[in-house]
């Protein structure tokens, strides 16, 4: 493989850009050119090699089963041809250049936000990758991903089915998040843990906009970092981009000082950009300019796809998703009441939990299947990291496989058989792990003996390549009513672990008070002592105000809450404190958590149907729509626009509202009411030549749940079909989508055709390459950057 340590590795530039310049017919599937215009593709590879590329990407980005579903070509045909074309160019050059199998997103949203199952995505990636390796690819590059779970499926497919090195790069927006809300730090933690060979950022932005994101990335991964930026923004008037090759190289110069070791270009870049970057590197070498040391530092942290939780202070693990001692929760598991489980998760996060423990183990249930379902559903309604709580290796692996981020595994202990069964899974999936200080002989009574077990666990974990930052030791809380002398030993053991091993610590705090009256009083006292002895991760019920207040007070007294800022803000107003943190351990009343408004705001689909039927006993259907559903969706939309919620939560709320709308439609049909839920007919389509329809599909889902009747014409839709459907349906609003600069011209032609046909309707447009100014230039009435703005446009048109 290429040497990352002693020099910068040069990638190639844009393939689509060069194919357009070559004048070949792009068609729906650019990868088909590997067969129909092989020499043109080979020539592009040759140009990049001559410009100085060390690695070239084969023309295979979209050659997956889903994208090729309606084509005349198989995955094997196009991937094999793509690799062979690139290999041919390398052979002709006589240079030491590697060929990468280029793997892009499948093109459909993953569950629970879409219909693409994790296993299906995995199989599609596996097919591409095994074909690519057989064809002679030297490495696999998984790029332009916006969904961390889809990226995980691709990485696992590569590592489990090929022997090739794996590079992974994600496409971020200026906000530092991807389309689905993934943060730079979450991507770094997750992909580093999964064992990719290099990690980075490509597409979406130019170098200057990527630079602050790259600064964050290098702080969170020790891996070689890749930057493959766009040539700025597309200029839809000229058909080019706004940054020249020389300017691009100048902007890329500063990335070298961050320690970035793999660079190239994405959309809009050409061999000229690669040559200019080679010149820049040569100039740096001539001037003796070398990057400073890496800014990466080891740290304990876990994450969901949208939120990283560094364990650099006390972090609360919510204990309520666990059947132990909880009658209602046991009943929920046995009755498959997922809504109740989700409400427990939501209430704990609202009360201050940073991480949620998830335990669904009960006799006579499919623990593995239910664990997978609960994790998928929970990650759709809360954004905190999860702790997978099970002693069953099969349950743990199935949960780790579909977890979107870096979780905690709870737990292993000092038994050799347990360590050898669970630790390889922790390493493979890049998780953190809790180690219990017990072994074949049970729980040691003395602190030194428990420390010895902890030391053995840490050393064993490190032997598997798990850094000690990812090992959290639980010195075990024994019941004071039965083992009073051992309470102090737990505290002593925890202090020894912190001082000698330097790892993070965990305790299930409430175990201390079993069998005692006024349990809360005992729990608070023990928690205070445990925090003073080094407890980092208390597992508690965050809905108990006194427990959370103890932690908040500790953070002030131990100088963790600088200037007492958080404490003052939270507790200065008693009324506000009572609103945010319950004064007792009781949960929210079921009638509140099962309301339709609560269901939509939190995306709990399981509650929506029953809540709507209950409301129909006292309310008219349109009252439910206008007084509950629409205001709730508006609140979700506002939170999405302000960055409080992200795309997964927006879609979950929209699909929850759909459950309610379905009940209302059925009710109105049964009662033969003349009034309809539909607020108006809207046609939506991806224009001719463009097969990218994820954005369109999201808009459709959200708008349907505002009560609009969406007529989806699909993707690659000719102008004539759009016009005929407007005439047939009488739709007053038409939405057109285009992702590629090459298909925006078709959007303009479609708008022109609508106007020439004299259709009485308004037109709005959207897509990654569009701007509001350009939308006006091509004759659109409105431009929307996302689903929320599309809804606002519909409200304006139909008001």
């Amino acid at each position: 493989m290429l040497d990352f340590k002693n020099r910068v590795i040069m990638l190639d530039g844009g393939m689509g850009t060069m194919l357009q310049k070559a004048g070949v017919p792009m068609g729906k599937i650019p990868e088909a050119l590997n067969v129909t215009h092989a020499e043109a593709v080979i020539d592009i590879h040759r140009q990049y090699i001559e410009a100085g590329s060390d690695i070239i990407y084969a023309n295979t980005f979209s050659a997956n089963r889903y994208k090729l579903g309606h084509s005349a070509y198989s995955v094997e045909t196009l991937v094999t041809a793509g690799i062979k074309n690139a290999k041919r160019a390398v052979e002709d050059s006589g240079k030491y250049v590697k060929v990468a199998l280029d793997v892009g997103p499948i093109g459909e949203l993953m569950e629970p936000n879409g219909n693409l199952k994790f296993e299906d995505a995995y199989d599609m990636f596996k097919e591409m990758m095994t074909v690519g390796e057989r064809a002679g690819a030297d490495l696999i590059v998984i790029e332009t991903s916006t969904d961390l779970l889809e990226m995980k499926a691709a990485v696992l497919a590569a590592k489990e089915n090929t022997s090739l090195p794996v590079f992974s790069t994600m496409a971020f927006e200026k906000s530092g998040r991807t389309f689905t809300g993934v943060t730079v730090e979450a991507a770094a933690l997750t992909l580093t843990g999964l064992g990719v060979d290099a990690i980075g950022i490509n597409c979406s932005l130019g170098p200057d906009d990527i630079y602050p994101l790259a600064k964050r990335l290098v702080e969170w991964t020790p891996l070689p970092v890749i930057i493959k930026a766009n040539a700025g923004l597309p200029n839809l008037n000229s058909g080019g981009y706004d940054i020249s090759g020389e300017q691009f190289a100048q902007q890329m110069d500063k990335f070298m000082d961050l320690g970035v070791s793999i660079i190239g270009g994405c959309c809009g870049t050409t061999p000229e950009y690669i040559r200019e970057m080679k010149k820049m590197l040569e100039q740096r070498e001539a001037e003796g300019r070398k990057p400073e040391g890496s800014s990466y530092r080891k740290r304990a942290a876990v994450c969901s796809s949208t939120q990283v939780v560094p364990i650099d202070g006390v972090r609360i693990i919510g204990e309520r998703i666990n059947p132990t001692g909880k009658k209602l929760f046991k009943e929920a598991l046995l009755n498959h009441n997922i809504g109740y489980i989700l409400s427990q998760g939501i209430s704990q996060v609202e009360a201050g939990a940073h991480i949620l423990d998830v335990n669904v183990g009960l006799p006579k249930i499919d623990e593995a299947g239910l664990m997978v379902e609960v994790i998928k559903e929970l990650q759709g309604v809360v954004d905190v990291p999860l702790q997978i709580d099970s002693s069953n290796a099969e349950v743990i692996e199935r949960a780790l496989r579909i977890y979107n981020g870096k979780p905690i595994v709870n737990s292993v202990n000092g038994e050799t058989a347990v360590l050898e069964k669970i630790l390889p899974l922790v390493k493979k999936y890049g998780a953190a792990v809790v180690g219990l200080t017990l072994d074949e002989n049970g729980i040691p009574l003395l602190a030194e003996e428990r420390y010895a077990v902890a030391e053995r666990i840490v050393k064993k974990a490190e032997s598997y390549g798990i850094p000690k930052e990812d090992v959290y030791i639980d010195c075990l809380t024994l019941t004071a009513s039965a083992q009073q002398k051992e309470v102090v030993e737990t505290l002593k053991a925890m202090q020894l672990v912190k001082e000698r091993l330097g790892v993070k610590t965990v305790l299930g705090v409430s175990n201390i008070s079993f069998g005692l009256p006024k349990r809360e009083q005992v729990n608070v006292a023990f928690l205070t002592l445990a925090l003073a002895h080094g407890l980092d991760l208390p597992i508690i019920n965050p809905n108990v105000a006194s427990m959370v207040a103890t932690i908040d007070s500790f953070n002030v007294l131990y100088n963790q809450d600088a200037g007492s800022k958080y404490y003052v803000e939270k507790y200065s107003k008693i009324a506000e404190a009572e609103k945010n943190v319950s004064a007792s351990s009781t949960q929210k009343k079921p009638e509140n958590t099962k309301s339709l408004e609560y269901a939509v705001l939190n995306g709990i689909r399981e509650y929506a149907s029953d809540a709507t039927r209950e409301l129909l006993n006292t309310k008219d259907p349109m009252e439910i729509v206008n007084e509950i559903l629409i205001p709730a969706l508006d609140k979700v939309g506002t939170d999405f626009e302000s960055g409080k919620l992200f795309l997964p939560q927006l879609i979950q709320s929209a699909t929850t509202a759909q459950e309610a709308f379905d009940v209302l439609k059925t009710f109105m049909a049964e009662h033969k009411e003349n009034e309809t839920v539909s607020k108006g007919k809207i046609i939506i389509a991806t224009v001719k030549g463009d097969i990218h329809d994820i954005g369109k599909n999201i808009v459709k889902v959200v708008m349907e749940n505002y009560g609009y009747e969406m007529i989806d014409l699909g993707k690659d839709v000719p102008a004539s079909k759009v016009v005929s459907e407007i005439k047939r349906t009488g739709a007053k609003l038409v939405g057109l989508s285009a992702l590629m600069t090459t298909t925006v011209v078709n959007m303009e032609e479609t708008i022109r055709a609508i106007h020439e046909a004299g259709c009485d309707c308004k037109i709005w447009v959207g897509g990654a390459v569009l701007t509001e100014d350009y939308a006006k230039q091509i004759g659109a009435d409105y431009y929307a950057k996302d689903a929320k703005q599309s809804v606002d446009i519909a409200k304006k048109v139909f008001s």
Side-chain angles (χ1 to χ4, degrees), residues 91-107:
E91 291 168 6
D92 291 349
S93 73
K95 296 183 178 181
Y96 182 73
V97 173
K98 295 294 184 182
V99 172
L101 172 72
D102 187 13
V103 180
I106 297 297

Side-chain angles (χ1 to χ4, degrees), residues 612-631:
T612 305
R613 292 188 187 96
E614 183 69 25
L615 284 168
L616 284 168
N617 292 324
T618 57
K619 282 184 175 289
D620 175 86
M622 292 310 296
E623 285 181 320
I624 296 172
V625 171
N626 294 322
E627 296 176 9
I628 298 175
L629 286 174
I630 298 305

Side-chain angles (χ1 to χ4, degrees), residues 412-416 419 435-461 471 473-476 493 497 501:
V412 298
N413 57 48
E415 294 183 42
T416 300
L419 292 170
L436 307 178
T437 54
L438 62 87
D439 56 19
E440 295 88 343
N441 301 313
I443 301 174
L445 297 180
L446 300 178
E448 284 284 356
E449 294 171 338
R450 290 192 217 177
Y451 168 79
V453 176
E455 184 179 37
R456 192 161 71 245
I457 291 171
V458 172
K459 287 183 176 178
K460 190 69 172 178
V471 183
I473 294 297
D474 186 339
C475 291
L476 298 170
V497 165
L501 294 176

Side-chain angles (χ1 to χ4, degrees), residues 40 133 181 204 231 293 353 385 398 476 498 590 671 707:
E133 184 174 36
S204 294
R398 286 187 60 185
L476 298 170
K498 291 284 288 186
H671 291 76

Side-chain angles (χ1 to χ4, degrees), residues 206 230-235 238 240-244 247 251 273:
N230 285 353
L233 295 171
N235 185 320
S238 68
Y241 281 72
D242 63 4
I243 299 177
S244 69
Q247 292 169 328
Q251 293 182 19
Y273 291 70

Side-chain angles (χ1 to χ4, degrees), residues 323 329-336 341 359-362 365 370:
F329 195 88
K330 287 181 181 177
E331 291 176 0
L333 290 178
L334 293 172
N335 297 326
H336 199 257
I341 298 170
N359 184 321
V360 296
L362 273 184
I365 68 168
L370 189 55

Side-chain angles (χ1 to χ4, degrees), residues 344-406:
Q344 292 295 303
I346 291 166
S347 70
Q348 290 182 94
V349 173
E350 289 175 344
H354 303 99
I355 300 164
L356 296 180
D357 185 79
V358 183
N359 184 321
V360 296
L362 273 184
K364 299 180 182 179
I365 68 168
D366 174 12
E367 184 185 356
L370 189 55
M371 177 68 85
V372 167
E373 183 180 4
V374 168
I375 285 176
K376 284 182 178 179
E377 294 291 335
L378 265 176
Q379 289 201 293
V381 299
V382 299
D383 65 351
V384 299
L386 304 181
Q387 176 169 276
I388 299 163
D389 188 351
S390 177
S391 58
N392 185 313
E394 180 194 356
V395 173
I396 291 170
E397 176 156 31
R398 286 187 60 185
L400 285 171
R401 197 165 184 82
I402 56 87
Y403 181 82
N404 196 1
K406 176 182 177 179

Side-chain angles (χ1 to χ4, degrees), residues 126 174 182 229 401 452 744 748:
K126 174 184 174 182
K174 285 184 182 181
V182 180
R401 197 165 184 82
V744 172
E748 184 174 9

